[in-house]
Amino acid sequence: MNATHVTQRSCGEKTDRPTITIGNWMRNCNTVELLGIWQISNNPDFKVIEFDDFRKNAGLNSFTLTPSKWIEATGAIGIGAKCGRHGGTFVHVDLAMDFAAWISSEFRLHVFQEYRRLKADETSRLNLEWKKNRLFAALNYRLHTDAVKEMLPADIDSKLSGIQYAREAEMLNLAVFGFTAKDWKQRNLILMEIHEIMLQLHNC
């Protein structure tokens, strides 16, 4: 994405303002942190030691940063400058989203609202799919437990029978969902927390 054009549309003028604005964004300590995290995740040749120098100085009044300086020092990708009529500073869409949110509060709010909408839609669809699977499991659980009951010895005590029923229930979970209830909870702790938060936000 062309950050220069984004700046021009936001500022409503075509001067040297885009260069200054992009520089101010890049020198921000939060931006430097984001740039480094993105590079570490996407660029195996990223020079982390040089990045630490930038991170230590970010936020100082004397600190400045430009795309060319960033690239030359750290071997960064995902950001660069082109000259000419259709030139400008080009950044990866992940970074461009942060730049656009930094330069426009309206855009930032729109991103937050859109994220909430998409997560609410996703949560709704996941709930529907989960309910379908749970209904299928419930319908088959009675048949399953009746079959287990017929196979159990007549003199087995209630504790042992409960253990056997629990084992068979886990087998049913494996057949329907592909994993046990315990495995699902361990894999989706964060998802469950997000799901709970989104439900609360949706009900606000």
Side-chain angles (χ1 to χ4, degrees):
M1 183 180 292
N2 193 327
T4 301
H5 289 174
V6 172
T7 306
Q8 290 172 339
R9 286 196 295 269
S10 176
C11 298
E13 56 184 85
K14 293 187 177 181
T15 62
D16 61 348
R17 179 68 182 273
T19 302
I20 298 174
T21 302
I22 294 171
N24 287 336
W25 170 67
M26 293 192 67
R27 70 188 297 269
N28 182 281
C29 59
N30 292 325
T31 301
V32 172
E33 189 76 19
L34 173 65
L35 292 173
I37 293 173
W38 190 91
Q39 294 295 332
I40 292 172
S41 300
N42 297 276
N43 182 7
D45 299 320
F46 182 59
K47 300 176 182 177
V48 180
I49 296 178
E50 286 75 3
F51 162 63
D52 285 337
D53 291 334
F54 283 119
R55 182 163 53 181
K56 292 175 183 176
N57 293 311
L60 297 177
N61 292 335
S62 59
F63 177 72
T64 60
L65 187 60
T66 63
S68 58
K69 182 178 179 180
W70 172 249
I71 295 169
E72 291 172 5
T74 65
I77 61 173
I79 185 170
K82 294 182 180 180
C83 299
R85 181 179 179 184
H86 301 290
T89 299
F90 293 84
V91 295
H92 187 277
V93 64
D94 294 341
L95 306 176
M97 292 285 284
D98 181 74
F99 175 68
W102 178 82
I103 200 174
S104 170
S105 298
E106 182 180 357
F107 177 80
R108 182 189 307 167
L109 178 61
H110 175 73
V111 170
F112 294 159
Q113 292 174 336
E114 187 66 9
Y115 175 80
R116 284 185 57 187
R117 184 189 69 79
L118 291 174
K119 292 304 295 184
D121 180 65
E122 180 184 9
T123 300
S124 177
R125 287 186 286 107
L126 287 175
N127 278 340
L128 179 61
E129 187 64 27
W130 176 255
K131 289 177 181 178
K132 285 166 57 181
N133 288 338
R134 291 298 296 172
L135 178 60
F136 178 75
L139 291 174
N140 285 274
Y141 185 73
R142 181 60 182 272
L143 297 174
H144 198 80
T145 53
D146 287 346
V148 173
K149 185 177 181 180
E150 294 179 0
M151 298 175 59
L152 292 175
D155 58 346
I156 190 172
D157 61 42
S158 59
K159 183 177 181 180
L160 290 177
S161 65
I163 294 174
Q164 188 62 32
Y165 278 123
R167 289 175 178 172
E168 296 297 330
E170 289 293 49
M171 289 181 61
L172 187 59
N173 283 332
L174 283 171
V176 176
F177 302 108
F179 39 74
T180 65
K182 182 179 180 181
D183 289 338
W184 190 91
K185 289 180 181 179
Q186 291 177 340
R187 296 178 187 177
N188 297 276
L189 288 176
I190 296 179
L191 178 62
M192 292 171 67
E193 293 177 1
I194 294 176
H195 174 73
E196 184 65 26
I197 293 172
M198 292 309 301
L199 284 178
Q200 294 177 8
L201 291 174
H202 184 68
N203 294 328
C204 291

